[in-house]
Amino acid sequence: MPGTAPEPTEFDLIGRIRRRAGGRDDVVLGIGDDAAVLRVPPGRQLVVAMDTLNAGVHFPADTAPADIGWKALAVNLSDLAAMAAEPAWCTLSLSLPGRDAAWLDGFLDGFLALAAEHRVALVGGDTTRGLLSVCVTVHGFVEPGRALRRDAAQVGDDVWVSGTLGDAAAGLRVVLATDDADGAIGGTAGERRWLRDRLDRPSPRVALGRMLAGRVNAAIDISDGLLADLDHVCEASGVGMQVWMRALPVSPALSAAVGEKARRQFQLGGGDDYELGFTAPPGARLDIERCAVASGVSLSRIGQVGVGERVRVFDRDIDGAGEGGECHVGRRGYVHFDPGASA
Ligand code: ADP
Ligand code: MG
């Protein structure tokens, strides 16, 4: 009954996590001791990534616990995907304002559903009291020398991106719009829900990343915004890029929900897409298109690598159709909760 159940202790909460965490054969010792003991397969390199999500900064305060759980793992798996690593294990640091077993159960529903989808075992973590914050590390494997890096783009490469861009940025506008009179986001209720779902439940492109290893030169996951993230590849590789505005993939929901100006801004500088951006020699095109079919994720060729320092955007399509002039870009990367996001 509400109000009468004793508050769970830290150890009750850890027990709840432990009972539900999945296992794997290579987990010698999981949750329960001072540290986990894990077996790295012979002949593999270990790939490690960590990302934190803070309430009100990385997700809207009203986000469902299950969505927070899903996203906390998804953003980390996206980093492994961009390295072409196969995920294996994760640890979870939870800072919770209260000892709320129902919240934790909801959180685990989302977190462990995605973990099961990718056969990732939760092998340890930390549970403390504080402002709501979730920090996850993921560990995965890659064949020696096969990790995809940001610093290997070559002049003459094609630039590619997976999925569609800008949906999550529009989804955040759906959340921030306090009444239906807000004209920024249109479309049907179903389209707005789909956009919000792209914000709350990103799909890390793990299988695609694995397939791209050995086929492409450089890769990054698009988390802050297409241009901001491709700029990182340019900087690390010592190259520039030309991107064709009309070649950028757009979802039907985003097209329906916003006008062209807002759509372009979301596609170029919106955050939270968790798609993969990569560069590959033109000779790899057919092979890459086969990866799209095999992974079930659409891939779009959006530009090319040249000399220079950063990404420039031109108003044309991949086949040259369009006016061709250089586009003026506002923000290159997403600023969380920036009220100017519809610009
Ligand atoms: P210690 O005091 O030795 O650091 P803790 O009491 O923090 O250990 O944790 C006990 C066990 O529970 C450890 O194996 C730890 O990895 C695990 N654990 C604690 N919090 C979490 C969590 N949020 N998710 C997964 N495992 C956790
Ligand atoms: Mg200890």
Side-chain angles (χ1 to χ4, degrees), residues 22 45 52 128 160 186 230 236 254 256 296:
Q45 292 175 331
T52 301
T128 57
W160 295 78
L230 291 182
L254 183 63

Side-chain angles (χ1 to χ4, degrees), residues 34-59:
D34 291 311
V37 181
L38 307 164
R39 195 179 331 108
V40 181
R44 292 287 185 278
Q45 292 175 331
L46 188 62
V47 183
V48 181
M50 172 194 270
D51 252 325
T52 301
L53 265 57
N54 293 325
V57 180
H58 299 93
F59 55 87

Side-chain angles (χ1 to χ4, degrees), residues 39-190:
R39 195 179 331 108
V40 181
R44 292 287 185 278
Q45 292 175 331
L46 188 62
V47 183
V48 181
M50 172 194 270
D51 252 325
T52 301
L53 265 57
N54 293 325
V57 180
H58 299 93
F59 55 87
D62 75 335
T63 306
D67 290 336
I68 298 170
W70 177 285
K71 188 163 182 175
L73 183 57
V75 302
N76 278 278
L77 292 179
S78 180
D79 283 324
L80 288 193
M83 303 301 293
E86 175 195 347
W89 313 306
C90 65
T91 56
L92 167 65
S93 174
L94 274 178
S95 164
L96 303 174
R99 291 167 293 176
D100 184 340
W103 188 94
L104 179 65
D105 287 343
F107 175 90
L108 291 174
D109 287 344
F111 189 94
L112 296 176
L114 185 62
E117 217 172 270
H118 292 278
R119 295 188 51 251
V120 173
L122 175 59
V123 299
D126 200 17
T127 307
T128 57
R129 185 189 284 273
L131 295 177
L132 178 58
S133 174
V134 184
C135 179
V136 175
T137 60
V138 286
H139 302 73
F141 314 132
V142 74
E143 301 75 12
R146 298 259 289 186
L148 292 175
R149 305 160 52 127
R150 300 177 178 191
D151 62 3
Q154 302 290 320
V155 172
D157 277 358
D158 295 323
V159 182
W160 295 78
V161 71
S162 68
T164 55
L165 297 168
D167 302 321
L172 181 63
R173 294 294 296 167
V174 172
V175 180
L176 295 181
T178 46
D179 63 65
D180 290 340
D182 186 307
I185 303 291
T188 64

Side-chain angles (χ1 to χ4, degrees), residues 169-292:
L172 181 63
R173 294 294 296 167
V174 172
V175 180
L176 295 181
T178 46
D179 63 65
D180 290 340
D182 186 307
I185 303 291
T188 64
E191 284 159 345
R192 286 194 294 272
R193 205 167 28 246
W194 187 88
L195 293 169
R196 166 115 209 220
D197 206 50
R198 288 276 285 159
L199 174 70
D200 289 337
R201 296 230 166 194
S203 303
R205 305 304 190 189
V206 173
L208 173 64
R210 295 288 295 152
M211 285 177 209
L212 295 179
R215 296 187 157 97
V216 311
N217 284 333
I220 192 167
D221 77 317
I222 309 296
S223 54
D224 294 335
L226 177 72
L227 296 186
D229 288 317
L230 291 182
D231 278 345
H232 294 319
V233 175
C234 290
E235 193 185 354
S237 299
V239 298
M241 287 181 195
Q242 298 195 338
V243 161
W244 320 132
M245 184 69 230
R246 297 178 192 220
L248 299 185
V250 58
S251 67
L254 183 63
S255 286
V258 297
E260 180 176 303
K261 189 168 172 228
R263 170 172 62 73
R264 289 184 166 201
Q265 183 56 52
F266 289 154
Q267 288 174 289
L268 292 171
D272 277 344
D273 289 316
Y274 299 103
E275 296 296 346
L276 296 184
F278 55 95
T279 80
R285 284 177 193 170
L286 271 180
D287 214 18
I288 287 169
E289 275 154 18
R290 276 189 223 110
C291 293

